[in-house]
Amino acid sequence: MAEDAEAGSDSGGGGNSGAGACERGVAPIKAQYRTTKEQFHQYLDADKREDECQKTPEGDPEGSDPAEPEAKRIRLEHEQENGKAEVAAEQLSDQRQVSKRARGQNKSRPHVKPTHYDKERLCPSLLQESTTCAFGDRCRFLHDVGRYLETKPADLGPRCVLFDTFGRCPYGVTCRFAGAHLGPEGQNLVQEEVVARCVHLPPVRNSLDRALQQQLRKRQVCFERAEKALRRLTQGPMPVVIPESTVATVTPEQNSCHGQLDTARGPSTPHDSSVFTCGPLTDQDIIRLRPCEKKRLDISGKLYLAPLTTCGNLPFRRICKRFGADVTCGEMAVCTNLLQGQMSEWALLKRHPCEDIFGVQLEGAFPDTMTKCAELLNRTIDVDFVDINVGCPIDLVYKKGGGCALMNRSAKFQQIVRGVNEVLDVPLTVKMRTGVQERVSLAHRLLPELRDWGVALVTLHGRSREQRYTRLADWPYIEQCAKVASPMPLFGNGDILSFEDANYAMQTGVAGVMIARGALLKPWLFTEIKEQRHWDISSSERLDILRDFTHYGLEHWGSDTQGVERTRRFLLEWLSFLCRYVPVGLLERLPQRINERPPYYLGRDHLETLMASQQAADWIRISEMLLGPVPPGFVFLPKHKANAYK
């Protein structure tokens, strides 16, 4: 299941003692660091007032000091406007939630797409050398570079991450750090030595080919293996929707990942003549693999980063890999969107070279779409396993029969698992919850069946859909399920925020642990588990982690205005979790429990206090340290509301 980035767990648990004792469910912070809400915000507001005083220094009443940083000036001009807009948005959201329990996803939040921040967008043809605009006079983008530069905001910094890393920035004049790589005549500079060195580096994999996207949109892709599997599962002939004359040619690039082609498997059929093969003929082209001959997924004892919706993007996974995550999985991808060729959905499948054990997670409610999507991914992307989402609790998925709903639809669930497993050449895994209702557990009944259906590994989240995150994970039940699932490996998931939590989880007999919210609160948790220690990480080290995330984000989403603001959005979503972390040096007892909300405290320095703020305005201030001032009219509210502590 894609871990919906809803926060927290039960408020009952983790009693406190000592001088800094506080009410139940609150992290036990030492008395000298504790403060009140009013004192906390007064401390942070004092810094804002200091910035305002520095804005207009003595002897310059008009505030025209040429040495004043442009980023600070713009931030201060819009800070008051942003604060008013945020307060209004919060009041509106609170009014709508008065008679309704918080359910996680904040659908009423104000949201501005990054593309709307550019008043005048330059035509992409001007950034691509020796390329003319295909739309001519009908093009809705700007073709006058001089006019574009007049309205373009000031650069955000003196160095461009793309230029320093790859030797060339593909965004040219539209880059928000363009001053680092533009020549005296506005030409885009290139570092030949760096470019030559980067040619041999492995690229990010699993991108959607433009030709394949067109075929998917026109429904010209043949899913022969999926149709055969579905006919066998339903014990009856299935109508062929795609006529033989419209079967598309599969390009060699789409099959290079596994060296296998769509129709060169099994007996000859009428479709075989419509698809051209390439390369030498192998035994695997003629003889299908038996289930026992499939590649095995041996990750027992490894640390598995959960597929985290919204926050589990590629830059965040790179951060977790750096701190010791062994296995990573892409965000939950909806199979129908993949079959329609949606670029935004295919972006969830991208794999960075550092991800040595990588899988993707599919969500769907019907055997036909899931099986066809699995066949499509099997021949187009490079993954080590495919995971089926049987745990997503959100209404949007559940009411359509996907996610947790599959646990109550055993017939459809079986067809999906058998169909997907038959068309895949990599292991199939399943992530599920204990059940749908709080007091009716279903996982222990389904695990033996999943083992018989050919699933290689199951991950069990120790909460039901009804519980969401309002209860602690049921690890005694996970221990029971691990025995029932044997010899199939079972991974446990839930409430792991320290190496003690991970040690306790491994004592239940699970093959390994999956870490979800714990990685969002402290991505260095993987290092703590492997080194069996508590890391009292400093605020400057945490800021360096955020800076690395922004660099990875600019590489992934781009360094133009759209890419910068998309990076900022994902950074802010992550900061809404990071603020719940309490530094080790401030705690009266170790470790911090995941269900303990942090009280108001003053950190050991200003930055540590700022990082503890629960207000979105302070998260925006942190983002401005790394990505410059926000655009005019910028408003942010987190995508998911924390209802865990209520």
Side-chain angles (χ1 to χ4, degrees):
M1 174 207 70
E3 285 287 341
D4 297 323
E6 296 178 30
S9 339
D10 182 37
S11 61
N16 305 319
S17 61
C22 57
E23 63 269 24
R24 182 183 176 93
V26 178
I29 293 180
K30 295 176 182 177
Q32 62 265 35
Y33 298 108
R34 282 185 167 278
T35 186
T36 63
K37 179 179 180 180
E38 292 74 18
Q39 292 174 340
F40 179 85
H41 290 299
Q42 284 176 4
Y43 177 77
L44 292 181
D45 291 342
D47 175 65
K48 295 181 183 179
R49 289 193 295 269
E50 184 179 345
D51 285 348
E52 292 174 358
C53 293
Q54 292 177 358
K55 178 183 176 183
T56 308
E58 295 183 4
D60 189 9
E62 300 300 324
S64 58
D65 184 3
E68 181 71 8
E70 182 71 11
K72 180 187 290 186
R73 184 185 65 79
I74 297 176
R75 174 172 68 82
L76 292 172
E77 286 177 357
H78 301 294
E79 192 171 64
Q80 186 175 5
E81 179 183 351
N82 293 343
K84 291 179 180 179
E86 182 181 330
V87 170
E90 288 180 348
Q91 291 176 349
L92 176 63
S93 178
D94 291 341
Q95 290 173 0
R96 295 181 178 180
Q97 296 293 338
V98 167
S99 59
K100 183 179 178 182
R101 176 173 175 265
R103 296 297 296 170
Q105 189 171 4
N106 184 12
K107 298 178 182 177
S108 62
R109 71 190 188 280
H111 183 68
V112 180
K113 293 184 177 180
T115 54
H116 295 170
Y117 290 122
D118 273 333
K119 295 180 181 179
E120 298 281 1
R121 297 188 63 188
L122 199 63
C123 180
S125 64
L126 297 178
L127 303 178
Q128 302 167 2
E129 299 176 359
S130 67
T131 302
T132 58
C133 181
F135 297 94
D137 296 336
R138 296 180 294 109
C139 183
R140 60 189 177 93
F141 295 118
L142 196 64
H143 289 78
D144 187 348
V145 177
R147 180 181 167 188
Y148 170 79
L149 291 175
E150 291 177 359
T151 60
K152 181 189 174 185
D155 281 359
L156 298 176
R159 303 188 67 85
C160 174
V161 176
L162 296 177
F163 183 67
D164 292 341
T165 305
F166 304 107
R168 180 181 182 276
C169 179
Y171 295 92
V173 294
T174 64
C175 175
R176 294 302 304 275
F177 310 88
H181 51 76
L182 289 184
E185 299 180 0
Q187 72 274 23
N188 202 21
L189 303 178
V190 178
Q191 301 182 78
E192 298 294 347
E193 295 181 359
V194 180
V195 172
R197 190 165 60 246
C198 292
V199 168
H200 306 290
L201 296 177
V204 173
R205 289 167 281 179
N206 301 346
S207 299
L208 176 60
D209 180 74
R210 185 68 65 177
L212 176 60
Q213 183 186 36
Q214 293 297 325
Q215 293 169 10
L216 289 171
R217 289 179 174 177
K218 296 178 181 179
R219 299 186 179 181
Q220 293 179 341
V221 177
C222 175
F223 300 101
E224 181 187 353
R225 290 179 61 187
E227 290 170 355
K228 287 181 180 179
L230 292 168
R231 278 196 295 267
R232 281 193 290 271
L233 289 173
T234 55
Q235 299 297 319
M238 293 185 61
V240 180
V241 180
I242 307 296
E244 183 179 348
S245 59
T246 63
V247 176
T249 301
V250 180
T251 63
E253 291 77 13
Q254 297 166 12
N255 295 279
S256 61
C257 293
H258 295 288
Q260 297 169 350
L261 299 173
D262 179 30
T263 59
R265 301 170 180 173
S268 176
T269 66
H271 292 298
D272 288 343
S273 59
S274 302
V275 180
F276 297 99
T277 62
C278 72
L281 191 66
T282 64
D283 291 341
Q284 203 169 3
D285 291 325
I286 304 172
I287 306 170
R288 288 288 302 138
L289 286 174
R290 293 180 297 171
C292 62
E293 296 175 329
K294 274 191 177 184
K295 177 184 176 183
R296 295 184 181 275
L297 184 64
D298 184 16
I299 60 173
S300 295
K302 296 185 180 296
L303 297 179
Y304 187 169
L305 174 65
L308 298 157
T309 300
T310 304
C311 293
N313 44 67
L314 185 144
F316 177 76
R317 298 198 304 269
R318 290 182 65 181
I319 293 290
C320 292
K321 283 296 295 183
R322 203 182 75 192
F323 283 111
D326 299 311
V327 184
T328 55
C329 186
E331 301 174 64
M332 179 187 75
V334 180
C335 64
T336 51
N337 295 343
L338 294 174
L339 290 172
Q340 292 169 3
Q342 292 187 14
M343 291 294 292
S344 59
E345 206 73 18
W346 277 81
L348 305 178
L349 311 179
K350 289 189 177 181
R351 175 181 188 174
H352 192 265
C354 72
E355 299 181 272
D356 48 352
I357 305 178
F358 175 75
V360 296
Q361 187 183 69
L362 294 181
E363 183 279 320
F366 302 100
D368 55 344
T369 53
M370 285 289 283
T371 306
K372 290 178 180 178
C373 184
E375 180 184 358
L376 176 66
L377 299 185
N378 188 66
R379 69 182 184 222
T380 55
I381 67 173
D382 179 18
V383 293
D384 298 298
F385 63 93
V386 173
D387 188 73
I388 297 180
N389 183 315
V390 196
C392 184
I394 64 174
D395 294 341
L396 182 67
V397 173
Y398 179 81
K399 290 181 178 179
K400 293 181 179 180
C404 275
L406 286 175
M407 300 186 73
N408 281 332
R409 305 170 68 222
S410 57
K412 292 293 183 186
F413 190 15
Q414 178 180 1
Q415 290 179 344
I416 288 175
V417 172
R418 288 188 180 276
V420 170
N421 195 36
E422 186 167 342
V423 299
L424 283 179
D425 294 329
V426 294
L428 175 67
T429 67
V430 170
K431 187 171 190 295
M432 60 196 301
R433 286 181 177 246
T434 59
V436 177
Q437 297 175 322
E438 182 173 354
R439 301 184 182 276
V440 183
S441 297
L442 302 174
H444 65 283
R445 302 177 188 174
L446 292 171
L447 287 170
E449 296 182 359
L450 289 171
R451 181 182 58 211
D452 297 337
W453 297 342
V455 173
L457 179 143
V458 173
T459 302
L460 180 59
H461 182 184
R463 274 180 281 261
S464 65
R465 176 184 184 266
E466 193 174 80
Q467 290 170 338
R468 300 295 279 266
Y469 290 92
T470 59
R471 295 289 184 275
L472 292 173
D474 190 352
W475 278 96
Y477 180 70
I478 295 177
E479 181 177 8
Q480 174 188 344
C481 290
K483 297 176 182 177
V484 173
S486 182
M488 180 181 65
L490 179 81
F491 268 54
N493 170 228
D495 300 341
I496 297 176
L497 192 60
S498 64
F499 72 87
E500 289 100 331
D501 295 334
N503 294 344
Y504 169 75
M506 291 301 297
Q507 291 172 5
T508 61
V510 295
V513 292
M514 173 183 280
I515 299 174
R517 287 174 301 140
L520 292 174
L521 269 64
K522 42 191 274 192
W524 54 92
L525 173 60
F526 301 98
T527 300
E528 291 188 353
I529 294 175
K530 290 188 173 181
E531 298 181 0
Q532 293 288 292
R533 67 182 177 96
H534 294 292
W535 185 352
D536 189 10
I537 190 168
S538 66
S539 59
S540 60
E541 289 175 308
R542 292 163 64 190
L543 186 65
D544 289 339
I545 295 172
L546 297 178
R547 182 175 289 106
D548 290 338
F549 175 85
T550 59
H551 289 173
Y552 297 156
L554 294 174
E555 289 181 23
H556 184 58
W557 291 300
S559 60
D560 58 349
T561 299
Q562 183 175 345
V564 169
E565 295 311 314
R566 182 167 283 118
T567 302
R568 190 193 306 275
R569 286 281 174 181
F570 285 109
L571 173 64
L572 291 172
E573 293 285 357
W574 184 21
L575 285 171
S576 69
F577 287 91
L578 280 173
C579 64
R580 304 178 203 170
Y581 167 73
V582 180
V584 170
L586 276 59
L587 289 171
E588 273 197 334
R589 63 149 174 82
L590 298 175
Q592 177 188 1
R593 304 296 182 186
I594 205 167
N595 63 312
E596 293 174 342
R597 57 183 171 87
Y600 287 100
Y601 65 89
L602 297 179
R604 292 163 290 189
D605 54 50
H606 179 269
L607 181 58
E608 193 168 72
T609 307
L610 182 63
M611 288 181 169
S613 175
Q614 303 276 339
Q615 289 195 345
D618 292 319
W619 306 336
I620 293 175
R621 291 176 63 189
I622 296 175
S623 77
E624 290 181 323
M625 297 178 186
L626 305 168
L627 293 170
V630 297
F634 182 88
V635 179
F636 173 77
L637 284 179
K639 183 177 181 181
H640 296 273
K641 284 190 172 180
N643 61 5
Y645 305 130
K646 296 180 181 178

